[in-house]
Amino acid sequence: MISRTSRFAALVAGLFLAFSMVAMDHAEARRGGSFGSRGMRTFQSAPPTRTAPAPTAPVERSMTPNTGVNNAARQPQAGMQRPGFMSGFGGTMMRGLLLGGLIGLLVGQGFGGLAGMFGFLLQALLIGGAIMLALRFFRSQSARGPAQALAGADNAQASRFENRATTQQQTARPFTIPGFGGGSGGSADTGSEEITLAQTDLDTFQQLLTDVQEAFGREDHAALRRATTPEMVSYLSEELAANAQKGLRNEVTDITLLQADIAESWREDDRDYATAALRYESRDVTRERASGKVVEGDGDHPTETTELWTFVRENGSNWKLSAIQQA
């Protein structure tokens, strides 16, 4: 028989191994996680696109303070919460039945009384559920009148026309290029307005993808400062310093954009923001500084990556990378 001490030691060893594997994966992952700033939408998920259809996690590391305003759109309204069955009439009935059954059990009905109580509870649940369904049905029918039904039909028809007009407008967008498509445009935010991008903007995003990757691989801090915001420079420089302490060097070459589209683009005061979903391939390897030996990655075969990059420009200046999110 395994003693209690042995079981405790095995548990501690298992937890230590699990935490070690997580820490190792985080340390070895280049640019792991999501970091940077997206203005008022920093802590909101970017809308899905054809390039990144899965929901994207919000930014994890950011110098933008999380005041709670950014999360207001994702929080459920308190008045819209539907009461559960254990609240209201159903909760009162259930609490009364449970209390009565327990009292009967305590005064001497024993396990037979407990079984009878369970049977009675099952019947009461079935009857209560049927009553609640009937009340909900009659309440919805009385609240929905003929005028409301006609209004719903008019709204549905208007929505179809709006969707058709939106589809035609997106199809006729003049600034699409191969690999780039019109994104969903995102949701409006308080204090921001949607903007339209031009072909030159998309060309700049594609060029910044190459410039930032190659500058990171060369450990060119001056080039990173030209292409990214000061916040992004701090994160990328921190990672380069960590690699140098380990005696490693990350090389990123042969960047090729495969597919991309715009998730959302908006303006806040004097700043313009645009989030693009980018699917690209590159030769990404990590080498030992002293010997040049590859310790991670495959230099002979490119790897494919999908990320969301957010760009910002202030007062009409040049676009710079301000956030990276893993798709």
Side-chain angles (χ1 to χ4, degrees), residues 62-121:
S62 177
M63 296 182 182
T64 299
N66 187 1
T67 59
V69 177
N70 296 311
N71 293 327
R74 294 187 295 156
Q75 296 296 331
Q77 298 292 333
M80 298 298 293
Q81 292 180 354
R82 299 174 59 183
F85 181 73
M86 289 304 293
S87 61
F89 173 75
T92 303
M93 181 180 67
M94 285 296 297
R95 287 191 292 269
L97 291 173
L98 287 173
L99 181 59
L102 289 176
I103 292 175
L105 179 62
L106 291 175
V107 297
Q109 293 182 4
F111 290 102
L114 182 61
M117 182 189 70
F118 284 155
F120 180 69
L121 284 178

Side-chain angles (χ1 to χ4, degrees), residues 2-315:
I2 302 177
S3 64
R4 181 178 302 177
T5 303
S6 300
R7 288 197 300 268
F8 179 78
L11 177 61
V12 172
L15 291 174
F16 178 78
L17 179 60
F19 284 124
S20 300
M21 293 177 65
V22 171
M24 184 183 303
D25 290 341
H26 179 74
E28 293 178 356
R30 188 180 65 88
R31 285 204 322 270
S34 302
F35 53 92
S37 294
R38 300 177 64 241
M40 296 176 61
R41 307 186 185 187
T42 296
F43 301 100
Q44 293 182 4
S45 299
T49 68
R50 293 188 299 271
T51 303
T56 304
V59 172
E60 299 171 353
R61 300 175 58 195
S62 177
M63 296 182 182
T64 299
N66 187 1
T67 59
V69 177
N70 296 311
N71 293 327
R74 294 187 295 156
Q75 296 296 331
Q77 298 292 333
M80 298 298 293
Q81 292 180 354
R82 299 174 59 183
F85 181 73
M86 289 304 293
S87 61
F89 173 75
T92 303
M93 181 180 67
M94 285 296 297
R95 287 191 292 269
L97 291 173
L98 287 173
L99 181 59
L102 289 176
I103 292 175
L105 179 62
L106 291 175
V107 297
Q109 293 182 4
F111 290 102
L114 182 61
M117 182 189 70
F118 284 155
F120 180 69
L121 284 178
L122 179 59
Q123 295 178 8
L125 284 174
L126 294 176
I127 296 174
I131 293 175
M132 292 183 64
L133 289 176
L135 291 176
R136 185 175 301 174
F137 175 79
F138 288 120
R139 190 177 302 169
S140 62
Q141 290 298 320
S142 61
R144 179 179 176 88
Q148 185 177 358
L150 291 176
D154 293 339
N155 292 335
Q157 185 176 5
S159 178
R160 286 195 296 269
F161 281 120
E162 290 177 0
N163 292 337
R164 185 182 306 171
T166 302
T167 303
Q168 293 175 354
Q169 185 178 8
Q170 289 181 352
T171 305
R173 267 187 166 178
F175 51 83
T176 57
I177 62 175
F180 275 89
S184 60
S187 58
D189 237 356
T190 303
S192 65
E193 58 177 330
E194 306 299 318
I195 61 175
T196 302
L197 301 178
Q199 177 68 41
T200 54
D201 298 323
L202 303 182
D203 293 339
T204 300
F205 298 160
Q206 185 172 1
Q207 185 61 45
L208 283 173
L209 171 67
T210 302
D211 293 344
V212 173
Q213 296 279 12
E214 291 183 348
F216 184 86
R218 298 193 310 268
E219 299 183 347
D220 189 342
H221 294 270
L224 288 176
R225 285 192 294 270
R226 289 192 298 268
T228 68
T229 62
E231 179 181 1
M232 292 298 291
V233 171
S234 66
Y235 293 140
L236 297 176
S237 298
E238 178 183 349
E239 185 172 349
L240 292 176
N243 287 340
Q245 290 179 355
K246 299 174 185 176
L248 303 176
R249 182 186 182 92
N250 187 211
E251 294 182 358
V252 186
T253 57
D254 298 337
I255 299 99
T256 303
L257 182 64
L258 303 177
Q259 181 181 353
D261 47 26
I262 301 300
E264 52 186 350
S265 53
W266 70 99
R267 176 172 295 132
E268 298 177 9
D269 296 331
D270 57 350
R271 293 186 177 184
D272 294 339
Y273 290 89
T275 298
L278 308 175
R279 183 170 64 89
Y280 61 93
E281 64 179 13
S282 62
R283 300 182 188 274
D284 187 349
V285 297
T286 301
R287 301 179 182 272
E288 292 182 351
R289 288 179 176 269
S291 63
K293 177 183 177 181
V294 175
V295 296
E296 185 180 357
D298 186 355
D300 298 328
H301 300 89
T303 57
E304 188 173 309
T305 306
T306 301
E307 295 174 329
L308 269 73
W309 286 32
T310 297
F311 306 92
V312 63
R313 63 181 175 188
E314 188 171 359
N315 293 322

